[in-house]
Amino acid sequence: MTAAPLKITYREAVKQAIREALARDPRVFLMGEDIGRYGGCYAVTKGLLQEFGEERIRDTPLSESAFVGAGIGAAMAGLRPIVEVMTVNFSLLALDQIVNNAATIPHMSGGQFAVPLVIRMATGAGRQLAAQHSHSLEGWYAHIPGLKILAPATLEDARGMLWSALQDPNPVLIFEHVNLYNMEGELPSDAGAVPIEGAALRRQGRDLSIVTYGASLHKALAAAKQLAGQGIEAEVIDLRCLRPLDDATITASIARTRRALIVDEGWRSGGISAEIGMRIAEQSFYDLDAPPMRLCGAEVPIPYPKHLEDAAIPQIETIISAATSLVRPS
Amino acid sequence: MTAKPHLDGAHARRLLGQMIRIRLFEEKCAELYTRGKIRGFLHLYIGEEANAVGVMEALTADDSVVSTYREHGHALARGIAMGPLMAEMYGKANGTSGGRGGSMHVFDRATRFYGGNAIVGGGLPLSVGLGLAERMRSGRGAAVCLFGEGAVAEGEFHESLNLAALWKLPVLFVCENNLYAMGSAIERTESETDIHRKAEAYRIASQRVDGMDVVAVEAATRAALEHLRAGEGPQFLECRTYRFRAHSMFDAQLYRDKSEVERWKERDPIKRFADWSVAARLLHKTDIADLEKAAAVEVDQAVAFAEAGDWESVADLGKFVLMDKVPA
Ligand SMILES: Cc1ncc(C[n+]2csc(CCOP(=O)(O)OP(=O)(O)O)c2C)c(N)n1
């Protein structure tokens, strides 16, 4: 018997996941800038300080490298930290710790030390925050062996991925798209952990496979709905996890649809879409009826004005026109 | 409670024996490097042994250690066996890290040795996390973080000192100030060359120690740990020391005078402590010869251990990129 569904936002789903983790496992604690008294720069952690106290909800100074590195050290020593970095652009100040320590130490130490750490951060454009707050750099992180990269796009994943990430012995980075925090929907009141491996087929279709993740998933689903009105049935794959990539779900889908469109807010050159495209070329070449196509962020720093920001990232209309040209080349 | 170590013969023998072991181990490493047995970067600690031995002598099994790429001395003094350490230098599977890390990345779970870190400053945030874990679990241990004065210019140094002090964490920061970061003399890189004043700026109690004097280093470490274990928060030692050899095996040492090196060699921590121990009648000359002999035998055995080791199978190349479980 499933419990009655609750109306809930993505933000609240993430918060519930954090609250559950804190309640279930005394080794779990939260650390980051303005997560306590301020309530989190995206208000995800509001109220947790009052509920769990300062020992477990730790406001940090503006020292991304030190508190991310401290999370790594604490994880190596047996705790289960959840580190929040305000936004992916700021995580660049902690790149040394993430790439040189968290990702290397298990292998470099011959398996003597694991780094069971979770780092959450906001990513993506859409809030007119301009070029130092809006980039989608999760594809970069997906380049790094030793990390697991998650991109929850649904309420169910926002609620369920965190617990599984905390059970994983490896460093897991969770990218929450800023435009999703206010997304509202229904979630069973007893919703819990979900697997953190594997892509999900969010819509079935016969004419093309749209491969995407994060906030672009919802644009792709909206585009698919409109495409259906024109007689084009798009299958929509939500990657969920950018590292490791679930090749099997992608290739199985392409075997049915014979066409692939990758939609990604990140930049095209050297991006995650390039990686996915090449995997499709390697594994699905003979299944394809058309060259794989990708729709990416424009190769510019994300600008502030709404019309330019909109133009810099994939939108429902651009997905529709890309899909149409792929299925019905003129 | 007194922090001054009470030196008896056994204690003096232990301190001197450890320094000699480190010296002979590294002299052998230099030789093995020229024979191509050890490759990559090799950073020798020769001249700086009193720091490792003095600090480690004061630690307990509950303490954890974070180190740098110049960590052979730290590792030996911490109690890591010489055989696996030498095998790690070779890159053999019977090395401390299974050969994966080599000279710069010695890890040892059993002695809570959290790695030689080859990113200057990269270990400091880790030590803050180890101290935090200790605090959150109400443990007795200290996180001891060793680094060179070059790291003081990195942001991670400042972020870590501030965070450790802010949260009153049990972290002992040990700056081994050997006056040069590769070829950069400290006065060419630091606006304030008095490093322990930087610690004071973060309200961290700090001491400056003669890093060529093993007893002074041990005494300072014990004093710092007493404060730390009394819950007074992080402590800082600046050990004034000098490396007698090149930065690594690829260094022509154009940046310093031979005469400067010779002057520092007169303060060789091993000779100095050996002479002092004999004069103080703590040790006999024959004791010293015995320690040297024992260390030479140990080094030979370590080389044999490394030579006998296997190379890790290439089939295991990807093992531990992702872990199946957290090691118990
Ligand atoms: C972040 C970083 N920058 C540069 C280097 C190259 N490098 C290796 S050792 C070193 C000098 C460091 O000097 P110091 O911290 O004083 O330690 P020492 O080598 O004297 O023991 C440099 C610049 C590095 N390993 N990491």
Side-chain angles (χ1 to χ4, degrees), chain B residues 69-70 118-120 148-151 154 178 180-182 243 247:
Chain B
Y69 48 86
R70 197 183 299 286
I119 305 298
V120 172
E149 87 291 346
E154 295 283 0
N178 62 14
Y180 291 90
M182 290 183 64
R243 74 174 146 71
H247 166 74

Side-chain angles (χ1 to χ4, degrees), chain B residues 155-237:
Chain B
E156 292 187 322
F157 169 87
H158 298 274
E159 292 189 8
S160 298
L161 261 65
N162 180 53
L163 192 55
L166 188 71
W167 289 352
K168 282 195 166 9
L169 301 179
V171 183
L172 172 61
F173 295 101
V174 180
C175 177
E176 297 182 292
N177 180 1
N178 62 14
L179 307 179
Y180 291 90
M182 290 183 64
S184 297
I186 182 168
E187 56 275 8
R188 298 188 62 240
T189 57
E190 288 293 323
S191 60
E192 170 57 85
T193 55
D194 193 352
I195 286 168
H196 85 134
R197 290 191 60 189
K198 293 179 192 276
E200 278 171 2
Y202 294 104
R203 298 178 179 270
I204 296 178
S206 75
Q207 306 172 65
R208 186 200 270 180
V209 196
D210 178 358
M212 307 306 269
D213 177 349
V214 67
V215 178
V217 175
E218 184 188 337
T221 307
R222 285 192 188 282
L225 287 173
E226 264 181 36
H227 291 292
L228 183 149
R229 295 201 214 278
E232 292 171 32
Q235 306 285 316
F236 193 97
L237 299 183

